[in-house]
Amino acid sequence: MPSRRSLFVASAALLGALALGGCSSEGRVLDIEVVTGHETGAMTESPAVEKVIVQGIPCSGCGEAIEAEATPGGTLDFGEVDGSVPYTFEVTGKDGAGNTVMRGRSFGGIVLDGIDGDAFSVFAQRLGSWARPPGKLARGHVRAPGVSVGERFLFLTGGDPSEDAAQIELYDLFAWASVKGDEPFAFAAQTLWSDATTDGAQVLAVSDEAAGQAQWFDGTDFTGAELPEGLTSFAEIAGGSVVFGPSRVFLIGATRAGTPTDAVVDVNDTDGTITVRRLVQKRAGAAAMWLEDVGLVLAGGSAEGPGIEVLGEDATSFAIRDFAPDPTTFAAAVRGSVSTVMTLVGGTLDGAPQKTRTLDPRCTIACVVQENDAITPDASLTRTAAYFWTTGRLIVTGDDSASSGLTRTFIIDDLKNTVTEVPLREPRRFATSFAAPNGTLALAGGVHPDGTPALTVEMFFPE
């Protein structure tokens, strides 16, 4: 792979010079506007928001926190503010009884002295539901990979082949607007990795077109990626997912649809070394995650061989666990109520929906999987993604194969044994969910049930 380069150089430079709220160190007054995007009734729906509080939280040891409050639509007065301090801005909306019913958050590291203009916005939304921030993407992408980039942007490209599939969609969490790129990748990406470093960031896009292609993009230029030693072609990992460990990143081909593969690219984030590792069993549609005190765990995706493989934190090769073979495909793996226990959600087995299951990948002999009907979504989910929220609670997204790929989302509460569906603001098929840099969950892309592109971004602020 190439030497590290900065992503979106101009935007990264701007990030270090942004300003926020109140008066800067030069005495310039700036206004923060709390916006609700496409959800125009968010402030007034029952129970209505009676008070809006905005806090500026400095980086650790950087300075003092600032705070202002007002009624909806009122002026937020922060007084004198140190314009050199990097802030993250938090919005809280309270109803007449003092309950928090609305939240919002900027991305981190906004410095007060360099902003152009007199005002900027922070998006806020009702808790526990999806909401659409301002603006729309320029184009739609179907079954596309998406990542967060540079602590500020949502990045979407690739997916199902179309004339626009190679184009890049970028959504700015400061301007709350789409940023249209002029140059596309050379192919429709199937896998994306956002590689952030102290010098900037870049995005790696991987495809199996032309026997496997890969390109880095730094916001300005595209550079061909060097094939790691031990990988026959980038097609071995194209379409797979990216899993992050404490100091390592794994590009895992076995989570993809289609041709089974055993290839895993292991990138050491500390020294940049790259090692290609091989699974014991080739898999397709497997679930994968990094589990604390266990390592990288893969589950399912093959009717042959053990159902679980583990690459320990200090291991150099995968080890099998004594679980029965598991041909389930497209489930999501996420930590359970206990940090060393894994939960598998969604997925299908012979076309039928699979139950939510829990297991302990540390087990080595006569291992068992526990099924739980009570926390199984009522959908045949593929392309399932699951996100740990708080102990016992998960957020799950996936495409329902029984409803032509309609993207559905659920909150699973393992402690209460409940599943609650959270409908999207715009019903859509084959959309993509991914973690946003402001600590929320983002969902983008897909098509509406009538086939028209779904261009709005949706965000979920759990609490």
Side-chain angles (χ1 to χ4, degrees), residues 33 51 54 59 93-94 102 137 159 207 225 229 233 238 253 272 306 371 374 377 385 416 432:
E33 182 183 10
K51 180 169 64 176
V54 178
C59 60
K94 293 184 177 291
M102 177 174 282
L137 299 178
S207 169
E229 182 179 353
S233 163
E371 296 182 343
K416 296 181 179 179
T432 299

Side-chain angles (χ1 to χ4, degrees), residues 40-256:
T40 55
M43 289 284 186
T44 56
E45 71 177 71
S46 181
V49 175
E50 299 289 343
K51 180 169 64 176
V52 177
I53 303 167
V54 178
Q55 295 175 300
I57 302 170
C59 60
S60 179
C62 292
E64 299 294 327
I66 58 176
E67 181 175 315
E69 65 178 64
T71 57
T75 300
L76 295 160
D77 183 5
F78 292 92
E80 281 297 321
V81 176
D82 184 345
S84 65
V85 174
Y87 284 103
T88 300
F89 284 83
E90 297 265 4
V91 177
T92 303
K94 293 184 177 291
D95 64 15
N99 300 311
T100 298
V101 295
M102 177 174 282
R103 292 285 304 278
R105 182 184 294 127
S106 72
F107 63 90
I110 299 177
V111 181
L112 302 178
D113 275 342
I115 192 171
D116 293 328
D118 295 330
F120 75 96
S121 302
V122 179
F123 172 65
Q125 63 184 97
R126 304 291 293 209
L127 292 181
S129 63
W130 291 97
R132 295 162 297 174
K136 294 183 178 182
L137 299 178
R139 292 163 292 260
H141 291 262
V142 175
R143 283 185 274 240
V147 292
S148 297
V149 177
E151 300 301 322
R152 175 173 171 178
F153 300 97
L154 306 179
F155 189 103
L156 194 73
T157 188
D160 289 0
S162 74
E163 61 178 345
D164 291 330
Q167 294 287 344
I168 293 168
E169 311 306 319
L170 201 64
Y171 186 83
D172 185 346
L173 295 179
F174 177 74
W176 301 104
S178 172
V179 181
K180 184 178 180 181
D182 294 326
E183 295 296 326
F185 283 102
F187 47 77
Q190 295 165 297
T191 295
L192 288 181
W193 169 35
S194 177
D195 179 23
T197 72
T198 55
D199 298 324
Q202 57 184 344
V203 171
L204 175 69
V206 181
S207 169
D208 63 5
E209 293 182 22
Q213 295 188 42
Q215 282 186 313
W216 290 99
F217 179 55
D218 71 351
T220 303
D221 300 317
F222 295 90
T223 305
E226 179 181 345
L227 187 70
E229 182 179 353
L231 201 66
T232 61
S233 163
F234 280 108
E236 288 198 89
I237 60 170
S241 60
V242 179
V243 172
F244 293 88
S247 59
R248 294 156 75 183
V249 181
F250 302 93
L251 284 71
I252 305 168
T255 59
R256 71 186 183 193

Side-chain angles (χ1 to χ4, degrees), residues 15 35 93 100 132 170 183 196 198 255 267 273 275 287 306 347 393 405 438 445:
L15 176 60
V35 297
T100 298
R132 295 162 297 174
L170 201 64
E183 295 296 326
T198 55
T255 59
V267 183
T273 57
T275 306
R393 287 193 289 178
N438 64 346

Side-chain angles (χ1 to χ4, degrees), residues 16 22 27 60 126 186 221 260-261 288 312 323 328 335 337-338 372 408:
S60 179
R126 304 291 293 209
D221 300 317
T261 177
F323 287 87
T328 300
R335 63 156 284 188
S337 300
V338 179
N372 190 335
R408 299 176 65 181

